[in-house]
Each structure stands twice: as structure tokens, then as C-alpha cells.
């Protein structure tokens, strides 16, 4: 198994990133390490699954940015991932910019990807809005770089939130067309989307996803928010006057209520049905403080570790440099095979 995934190093890591993706990264990392240990103990020398997690700094330049902030954001996101449980001695943690093969493969896939495929991407449509002509070329070709990110390592599994599924399907389409046109070169990657927390929504609007680009900080829980801020944000989260129903069907048409139940369920590792069986009949005045406490408890150790890690910038630089060296090594055979398949080298 080869697990690969990335996150843009812009803004703070928020609850949507954590529950939708990062927690799954950590779980897959831990499960694979355990599986490899068991296989090795049974004498199987082929036990070599691998996890690669990266900061998508090359993707971040597809929209206006401040260079010094990107540099700082990259280090902060690296610290946040380690604080969440990504272990640099078991997973390969790096930033794209230190592995030129990502940008190279993107160009090589550019002959295979189709304008029509890219034009149908909902993220492109959402971000470009009515001003398509005014967008950067990089925002349009963004999903080709994302395809390169995973195909470069022959990724078998890609843990992401629901919003990235379409990009992964495109990566599969690109891989399939390339393999058809030029011979078997790439593994088709499988998206892994958590059933419980595929889409965590804004605390201010249950129909919009929780996002770092939302202008209102009250719309999201950041992993570095302190206890008071978290309790305030949950208290002020939009809800309706009805009490919680006893069954999931009673949440229909109540997007904000559903979101809070989903968050509770994901944090407590329960199903939404089980949360409602326990809390059905309660009003939000009673449910919100319990949700707030669960959030504070979950995030407190992460936030403490994050602050500690940020204090040692050299150690973070070293983690990323080591990760990038390993990633460059793993990327080399596929990059060479791609040049060869295209007739660019002998
Ligand atoms: P990004 O940085 O927007 O988000 C990182 C991860 O967090 C998930 N996520 C969410 N999940 C549930 N609810 C939410 N509200 C929520 N918001 C974000 C995302 O689905 C993602 O898994 N293009 C990617 C980064 C990327 C990448 C890749 C991912 C670049 N190359 C290759 C996978 C494989 C992005 O901008 O994610």
C-alpha cells in the first residue's frame, strides 16, 4: 500500500481538515506501521508500505499570496501535522517545492489532461466565479499538479475530504488515458473519504463547507484556538430553536443542527444515530456546552504540542529536508518511466 495526500499550507489547520483528512492520515500511518511490523515478524521481507504527506506549497501560488507568509505557513502546517500525530520517522513529510519532480510530472501530464475535464472541476468554477479570464493559468491547471502529486509515487490510497474527490477522479482519468496511450505507467489511486466526517460545514452556514478562505473566523474552529474561543464559537454557532430529534430523519432540512451532530459524532467516534439516541430531546443550550468541551479536550494536546514544535524552527526545517530527500528518491523511477513512455529519453 502506498498512501499519499497533501494540504495547502495557507491559513490555519481547521476542524474540517482535521476530521475530514488529517485524522485519517494518522490512522492509516499507524495501521500500516502495525501491519508491516506484523508481516515482518512473520518473516515477510516485502513488508514495505509507505505513507507520504506533503504541504502543497506549489498549489498555494495559484492564487495571490505573500511570499513570506507562504514560507511561514509551510513551517506552521508542518508543525500542525506533527502535532496531530504524523510521525516523521514513519511517514515521509515534505513540501512539494523541494521535490521538483512534482512540477516536472505536471508538465508531462499536460499533454494528456483535457481542457474540458479541467473546465468541469467544481473547485475551479467556485474559485473563478464569473471572472475566468482574470484567473491565473495555475488555478486552471491545479488538478493536473494534484494528479502528478499522487501518480508520481504510484499512490494506491489517497485519504481526503469529500471536496477533493472530484480531483482524485480526474487523476484516475489522466492515469488511465496515459496508460492507454503510452503503455502501463501509473497506478490508479483510490480516494479514501471518512464516512463520518466527509464534509464538515461552516458554523455560520450549514450549507457551506468549513474553510480557511471564509472571511469570518467564527465560521471555523482552528486547531490552535484556545478553550475560551472554542466555547464562544460553539455557543454562537448558528442553530434552530427545535430540540435535537431522537433519529437522523428528524435532522432533514436542519443543516446547522446536522453539522453539530456530525462534529460530535466524529470527535466521539460514534455514529450520528448513537449521538441522537443519547442526546435526542435536548435543546442546543444543553448540547452545545457538551460539544464545546469535547472539542476543547480533543484539541488541547494538539495545540500544546503545536506551540512546542513551532519553537524549534531548525528541527522543522530538518524534518522537511529529510522528507524531501526520501520523496525525491521514491519519485525518480516513475519520472524516468514517464519520460521514456513519452519518447523523450531513450
Ligand atoms: P485543502 O488544503 O483544502 O484541504 C486539506 C484536506 O482537508 C480536507 N477538508 C475537509 N474535509 C471535510 N470537511 C471540510 N470542511 C474540509 N475542508 C478541507 C480536504 O478534502 C483535504 O483532504 N488540493 C488539496 C491539496 C492537495 C492534495 C493533493 C490532496 C494537493 N495535492 C494530492 C490529495 C492529494 C487542497 O487544497 O486541500
Amino acid at each position: 500500500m502506498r498512501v499519499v495526500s497533501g494540504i495547502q499550507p495557507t491559513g490555519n489547520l481547521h476542524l474540517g481538515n482535521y476530521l475530514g483528512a488529517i485524522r485519517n492520515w494518522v490512522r492509516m500511518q499507524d495501521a500500516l506501521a502495525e501491519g508491516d511490523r506484523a508481516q515482518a515478524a512473520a518473516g515477510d521481507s516485502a513488508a514495505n508500505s509507505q505513507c507520504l504527506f506533503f504541504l502543497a506549497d506549489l498549489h498555494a501560488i495559484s492564487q495571490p499570496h505573500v511570499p513570506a507568509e507562504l514560507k511561514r505557513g509551510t513551517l506552521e502546517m508542518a508543525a500542525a501535522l506533527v502535532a496531530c500525530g504524523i510521525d516523521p520517522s514513519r511517514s515521509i513529510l515534505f513540501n512539494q517545492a523541494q521535490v521538483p519532480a512534482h512540477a516536472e510530472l505536471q508538465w508531462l501530464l499536460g499533454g494528456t489532461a483535457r481542457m474540458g475535464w479541467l473546465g468541469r472541476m467544481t473547485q475551479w468554477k467556485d474559485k473563478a466565479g464569473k471572472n475566468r479570464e482574470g484567473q491565473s493559468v495555475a488555478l486552471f491547471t491545479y488538478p493536473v499538479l494534484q494528479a502528478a502529486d499522487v501518480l508520481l509515487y504510484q499512490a494506491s490510497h489517497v485519504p481526503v475530504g469529500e471536496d477533493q474527490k472530484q480531483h482524485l477522479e480526474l487523476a484516475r482519468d489522466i492515469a488511465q488515458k496515459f496508460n492507454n496511450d503510452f503503455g502501463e505507467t501509473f497506478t490508479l489511486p483510490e480516494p479514501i473519504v471518512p464516512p463520518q466526517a466527509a464534509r464538515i460545514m461552516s458554523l455560520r452556514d450549514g450549507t457551506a463547507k468549513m474553510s480557511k478562505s471564509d472571511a469570518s473566523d467564527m465560521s471555523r474552529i482552528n486547531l490552535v484556538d484556545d478553550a475560551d474561543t472554542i466555547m464562544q464559537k460553539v455557543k454562537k454557532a448558528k442553530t434552530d430553536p427545535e430540540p435535537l430529534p431522537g433519529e437522523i430523519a428528524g435532522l432533514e432540512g436542519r443543516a446547522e443542527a446536522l453539522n453539530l451532530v456530525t462534529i460530535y459524532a466524529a470527535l466521539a467516534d460514534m455514529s450520528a444515530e448513537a449521538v441522537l439516541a443519547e442526546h435526542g430531546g435536548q435543546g442546543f443550550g444543553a448540547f452545545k456546552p457538551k460539544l464545546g468541551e469535547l472539542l476543547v479536550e480533543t484539541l488541547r494536546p494538539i495545540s500544546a504540542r503545536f506551540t512546542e514544535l513551532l519553537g524549534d524552527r531548525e528541527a522543522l526545517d530538518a524534518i522537511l529536508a529529510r522528507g524531501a530527500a526520501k520523496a525525491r528518491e521514491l519519485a525518480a523511477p516513475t519520472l524516468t518511466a514517464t519520460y521514456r513512455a513519452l519518447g523523450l529519453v531513450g
Side-chain angles (χ1 to χ4, degrees), residues 276-310:
L276 292 178
E278 212 172 281
H279 301 275
Q282 289 176 14
F284 284 98
F287 183 68
K288 279 179 165 181
K290 291 181 196 148
L291 173 61
E293 274 158 33
L294 192 52
L295 274 164
V296 169
E297 243 170 69
T298 309
L299 301 186
R300 188 182 286 124
I302 296 179
S303 156
R305 179 106 180 84
F306 171 73
T307 311
E308 196 184 303
L309 286 160
L310 261 193

Side-chain angles (χ1 to χ4, degrees), residues 4-10 13-22 25 54-57 59 77 96 102 123 127 142-143 145-150 158-165 167-168 192-194 197-202 208-212:
V4 179
S5 200
I7 182 166
Q8 288 204 60
T10 41
L13 193 67
H14 58 71
L15 191 68
N17 300 135
Y18 180 65
L19 294 176
I22 315 304
W25 297 8
F54 61 86
L55 309 158
D57 49 3
H59 278 106
M77 195 56 89
Q96 277 168 327
H102 287 247
Q123 185 177 294
K127 289 201 169 155
Y142 180 115
L145 178 59
Q146 186 157 343
D149 293 336
V150 295
V158 185
V160 284
E162 175 88 16
D163 63 326
Q164 294 301 318
K165 228 173 133 186
H167 284 162
L168 261 298
I192 307 286
V193 179
R199 242 176 124 71
I200 300 295
M201 310 311 274
S202 155
K209 72 171 181 184
M210 186 178 285
S211 154
K212 21 192 168 199

